[in-house]
Amino acid sequence: MLAFAALSGCGEAPGGDGGPTGTVAGTIVLSGGSQPMTLPGASPTLPGASPAEPPGAPGTVTVSRDGGEVARQKLTEGERFQFSLPPGTYELRAVSVDGICLAQAVTVAVNAEQDIKLVCQRK
C-alpha cells in the first residue's frame, strides 16, 4: 500500500501502463462554518470559502473510477494534490478533513491540465 500511495502522489497513471494521461491538481478548501456551502460549478465564487492559511487544508484526496479507488494522496497543510490519469471520468473526494466534503466529478482528457478545488464545509 505504501508503494501505491507514493506512486499515486507522484502523479503516476493507475496501473502504470505508460499510456497517454491528463493531469488533475488542486487543493482542499474549507469554507466558513456559518455560511452555506455552494456546489462546485454553481457559482464563479464560493460564498464563505476561504483557503486555509497557508492555502491547502490537510487531508487525503481519493480518486475513484467506476466505483473503485484508483489513487490517493495524503496532504499536509499548504500542500497541493496532483494526479496523472488516463482519459476518462473520475470522482475526486477529500477525506480525513475537519469538515463535510463534496465529491467532484472530473473528466480527464489526454495532455489536458485541470485545477480543482475540493470544497469542504467546516464542522
Side-chain angles (χ1 to χ4, degrees):
M1 182 64 179
L2 290 177
F4 178 72
L7 289 176
S8 298
C10 293
E12 287 284 326
D17 64 5
T21 63
T23 301
V24 177
T27 57
I28 299 171
V29 176
L30 295 176
S31 70
S34 62
Q35 298 190 16
M37 182 168 41
T38 304
L39 295 173
S43 171
T45 61
L46 298 169
S50 59
E53 292 295 331
T60 299
V61 177
T62 63
V63 181
S64 300
R65 185 173 186 184
D66 300 325
E69 184 177 301
V70 297
R72 71 172 33 227
Q73 183 177 1
K74 185 174 182 176
L75 305 174
T76 58
E77 190 167 325
E79 283 189 309
R80 290 176 51 85
F81 61 84
Q82 181 171 325
F83 299 98
S84 291
L85 302 165
T89 300
Y90 297 86
E91 181 179 271
L92 274 67
R93 182 180 304 271
V95 297
S96 303
V97 175
D98 187 26
I100 300 167
C101 306
L102 297 173
Q104 186 165 345
V106 176
T107 300
V108 175
V110 174
N111 297 324
E113 295 182 16
Q114 295 184 59
D115 190 57
I116 304 295
K117 287 186 170 80
L118 294 175
V119 180
C120 300
Q121 178 74 31
R122 291 184 195 272
K123 291 183 181 175

